[in-house]
Amino acid sequence: MHELSIAISMIDQITEESANRGGLDVEAVHLRLGVFSGVDKDALLFAWELACEGSCLEGSRLVIESIPLVIYCDACQKDRVPPSVYQLSCPDCGTPGQKIVTGREIEVASLEVVA
Amino acid sequence: MTTRMVEVRAKVLKQNDLLARALRERFRREGTCVVGLVSSPGSGKTAFLEKLLAGLARDARVAALVGDLATENDAERLRRATPNVRQITTGTVCHLDAQMVEKALEEWRLDRIDFLFIENVGNLVCPSSYDLGEELRFVLLSATEGEDKPLKYPTIFNSSDVAIITKMDLAEAAEFDLPAARRNIESVRPGMQVFEVSAKTGNGMQAVFDLLHAQLASARQSQVAVTR
């Protein structure tokens, strides 16, 4: 369960970002989270509340957008969504693919701040 | 309450990634071949590493960093093969990160080390998110764990470069389905190299030594390229 470490990294990063912009009153944090990132969405939501206690983000909402796993198929020369996260092959032609296009993201996309 | 959106678009593990990249450059500059080891607890990481260190130490300079939640037991075991072993005790943290590695390397002369192994905390989930700057990552799967581990933990298998099936001496007793294990590894990480070993009997270890020596030779070549 490294979601707490991830949450703490996020808070550090957002605190810095906020300071750089003269102090933001953050109401919600929007995160892009790949399904192949190794981070569990529910565990992160749980860890978020805990990690925020006593920080400037206390009481903020975490909004997670799941990013699907997309691989590049060399045979079709196209981006493809594999049948599952444990079967990295083209759903059309069956060619195994190791080039990951999306699915590994752990990225703070935006902050919703009080205007 | 009115709100507005502030675009950030920042990778959460950017600090770790930057540090890992700096470490990787440092390893290349010093010509050290660095290999990370990940697996579940009890898969035979330390026994395998013990054999690797002992075998490679015959004609190369070896060192190891060993991550564990608690105790120095693993480091003590490995010191039988080389004195260059440092334990990283993570406390409650379930993975190593680049900063822990950097700190553990303090005062070590990397230019006097050919092979450095970084044994992660026994965990098939969390280490997958953290780059440690290693050149190669080995993921270990023991014959006694069952052949479906790769399907259950695709992220860690996919973030690794080489799969090592350990405890092959127990495969028959455990009714381990080797072809299925290889199929499952291929499914989550197409094209992945797979080695079957027994640290106990030494079977299969030579192929791993050969791979590592080839890796060192290429590390030395890129070192020449870097220093030129």
Side-chain angles (χ1 to χ4, degrees):
Chain A
M1 159 106 182
H2 63 313
E3 281 74 9
L4 192 58
S5 304
I6 299 284
I8 292 167
S9 295
M10 286 174 65
I11 292 167
D12 289 346
Q13 198 164 32
I14 296 164
T15 306
E16 194 187 318
E17 189 73 35
S18 166
N20 287 344
R21 292 170 193 254
L24 300 172
D25 186 358
V26 180
E27 210 267 320
V29 175
H30 290 254
L31 183 78
R32 287 160 47 84
L33 187 63
V35 297
F36 216 50
S37 65
V39 176
D40 183 75
K41 183 178 169 176
D42 290 329
L44 183 58
L45 285 170
F46 177 73
W48 182 250
E49 239 178 272
L50 282 176
C52 283
E53 270 178 32
S55 83
C56 62
L57 288 162
E58 188 165 341
S60 67
R61 281 182 301 126
L62 177 61
V63 183
I64 298 177
E65 180 195 355
S66 283
I67 308 297
L69 177 61
V70 174
I71 59 170
Y72 182 78
C73 176
D74 280 326
C76 303
Q77 302 205 329
K78 278 198 175 113
D79 291 349
R80 299 285 197 197
V81 176
S84 74
V85 291
Y86 48 84
Q87 194 183 340
L88 271 65
S89 58
C90 176
D92 269 23
C93 71
T95 305
Q98 171 51 25
K99 289 178 195 154
I100 291 172
V101 182
T102 68
R104 283 207 181 278
E105 300 80 356
I106 315 174
E107 186 185 293
V108 176
S110 57
L111 304 174
E112 226 174 295
V113 303
V114 176
Chain B
M1 184 174 64
T2 52
T3 59
R4 64 186 170 95
M5 294 295 269
V6 175
E7 194 153 324
V8 180
R9 296 196 70 89
K11 283 187 179 174
V12 171
L13 295 175
K14 194 176 80 188
Q15 287 305 327
N16 186 79
D17 291 347
L18 287 175
L19 193 52
R21 198 185 305 163
L23 281 171
R24 187 168 287 115
E25 279 166 16
R26 185 172 150 204
F27 297 148
R28 284 187 184 157
R29 211 166 44 238
E30 306 282 7
T32 308
C33 172
V34 182
V35 179
L37 271 71
V38 293
S39 80
S40 52
S43 67
K45 259 194 317 295
T46 310
F48 173 69
L49 185 52
E50 219 175 338
K51 274 282 149 81
L52 277 185
L53 293 175
L56 293 168
R58 283 196 286 263
D59 49 14
R61 299 160 298 178
V62 297
L65 299 177
V66 198
D68 259 311
L69 296 176
T71 82
E72 281 257 348
N73 296 350
D74 283 2
E76 275 162 32
R77 255 173 84 183
L78 295 171
R79 279 192 196 109
R80 283 182 275 186
T82 170
N84 303 328
V85 177
R86 275 194 190 154
Q87 181 87 40
I88 306 176
T89 310
T90 60
T92 56
V93 180
C94 49
H95 57 270
L96 295 181
D97 63 31
Q99 200 178 1
M100 297 179 201
V101 171
E102 190 194 39
K103 193 160 180 291
L105 289 175
E106 270 171 19
E107 289 160 36
W108 259 4
R109 290 283 305 267
L110 285 175
D111 60 341
R112 293 182 187 164
I113 298 170
D114 298 314
F115 294 103
L116 170 67
F117 295 92
I118 306 174
E119 182 186 333
N120 219 308
V121 179
N123 183 332
L124 280 178
V125 182
C126 312
S128 66
S129 306
Y130 295 86
D131 184 1
L132 303 179
E134 69 261 68
E135 203 63 45
L136 276 182
R137 182 178 282 187
F138 287 3
V139 58
L140 276 62
L141 160 72
S142 63
T144 51
E145 280 173 271
E147 49 285 333
D148 58 350
K149 270 280 162 77
L151 303 183
K152 289 179 178 166
Y153 301 94
T155 318
I156 194 97
F157 275 83
N158 192 274
S159 74
S160 302
D161 305 291
V162 174
I164 311 278
I165 303 176
T166 59
K167 304 191 189 180
M168 279 303 288
D169 53 300
L170 298 174
E172 211 182 311
E175 294 180 21
F176 180 65
D177 186 343
L178 181 61
R182 283 183 162 271
R183 256 195 326 273
N184 293 340
I185 292 167
E186 176 66 20
S187 177
V188 297
R189 173 64 147 111
M192 192 179 216
Q193 255 188 303
V194 182
F195 294 89
E196 299 151 25
V197 306
S198 163
K200 192 174 175 188
T201 65
N203 275 349
M205 292 298 295
Q206 190 55 50
V208 183
F209 292 138
D210 293 345
L211 169 85
L212 289 169
H213 279 295
Q215 188 68 32
L216 180 66
S218 97
R220 285 290 145 80
Q221 243 168 12
S222 55
Q223 182 194 19
V224 172
V226 171
T227 47
R228 251 178 207 163

